[in-house]
Amino acid sequence: MTRPNSTKIVRAAPAALAVAALALSLAACKKEAAPPEVVATASETSEATEVAEMSVEDWIRTNYKDAVSSDLGTLQYATAEVDLDGDGTPEVLAYLGGPMMCGTGGCNLVVLKRDGTGFRKMGEVSVVQLPVGVLDSKSHGWRDLAVTVSGGGMPEGTKRLPFDGKAYPENATVQPAGDSDTIGKTLISADDLKPFE
């Protein structure tokens, strides 16, 4: 007499053993203790913050290294801070002058927004003369800038620079820059320029 179910029992045994072994190994994993949580002390946290913060000068040095170390002459610069987007944190305006940054119509004005430990460029406007100011009017939630223009065949005047939702205009003498009858509150004047060291 044959046993029809004996083959099934023998085949099922290895599978049952494999499942049992897997269950035991998983149970053993759960018993291991979690590694201790790492907590930074107050002094370690403040030191890390101090090291991670980028200064405006560091940003200029990183992004305009050719202008900083030019044989043609020294980079001149001036900075000002003003809250342009109304979030309570001031943005930085950096006026960059010198042979590598200027033409007959003026120099470059860079608008920087603090972004974590560094800065994000919100516009670089060419052919800007001093003074540079800020207006009470807004475009896309950001205050309009006012800059002086002259030279390069252009009559002296004041231009309003609106924010377009992403950046300020690239050139102070073409649209969307428009005429302004005031410089508003002066942020950077010619007296503020100093050599970049």
Side-chain angles (χ1 to χ4, degrees):
M1 176 153 94
T2 59
R3 295 183 190 171
N5 290 334
S6 63
T7 307
K8 290 181 183 176
I9 293 171
V10 171
R11 288 184 187 160
L17 287 174
V19 170
L22 180 62
L24 287 173
S25 65
L26 289 175
C29 290
K30 290 181 181 178
K31 291 181 182 178
E32 291 180 17
E37 189 174 322
V38 177
V39 179
T41 64
S43 63
E44 289 172 339
T45 303
S46 64
E47 285 175 18
T49 302
E50 289 173 17
V51 170
E53 293 287 327
M54 176 182 267
S55 71
V56 176
E57 288 76 12
D58 290 338
W59 189 90
I60 293 170
R61 194 173 286 109
T62 300
N63 290 278
Y64 298 95
K65 56 186 163 198
D66 291 341
V68 169
S69 61
S70 170
D71 292 336
L72 298 175
T74 305
L75 177 71
Q76 300 284 313
Y77 82 112
T79 61
E81 294 191 6
V82 62
D83 186 3
L84 296 171
D85 62 359
D87 69 353
T89 302
E91 280 66 46
V92 177
L93 277 66
Y95 185 83
L96 305 175
M100 298 289 290
M101 302 302 295
C102 301
T104 57
C107 305
N108 288 11
L109 176 69
V110 181
V111 181
L112 302 172
K113 179 170 182 59
R114 285 180 170 81
D115 186 17
T117 58
F119 298 93
R120 183 171 31 140
K121 187 163 62 170
M122 304 306 291
E124 182 167 0
V125 188
S126 63
V127 294
V128 173
Q129 300 282 1
L130 294 173
V132 170
V134 64
L135 303 172
D136 290 331
S137 59
K138 293 182 179 181
S139 301
H140 295 277
W142 287 59
R143 292 176 70 182
D144 297 332
L145 298 175
V147 299
T148 306
V149 294
S150 68
M154 172 173 274
E156 186 172 341
T158 304
K159 295 290 185 176
R160 180 182 67 85
L161 306 177
F163 187 75
D164 70 3
K166 293 182 181 178
Y168 285 94
E170 293 180 5
N171 187 311
T173 62
V174 298
Q175 290 290 335
D179 292 332
S180 177
D181 58 357
T182 179
I183 199 74
K185 178 183 178 187
T186 300
L187 298 174
I188 302 173
S189 69
D191 295 336
D192 298 322
L193 282 176
K194 58 188 175 187
F196 191 88
E197 297 175 357

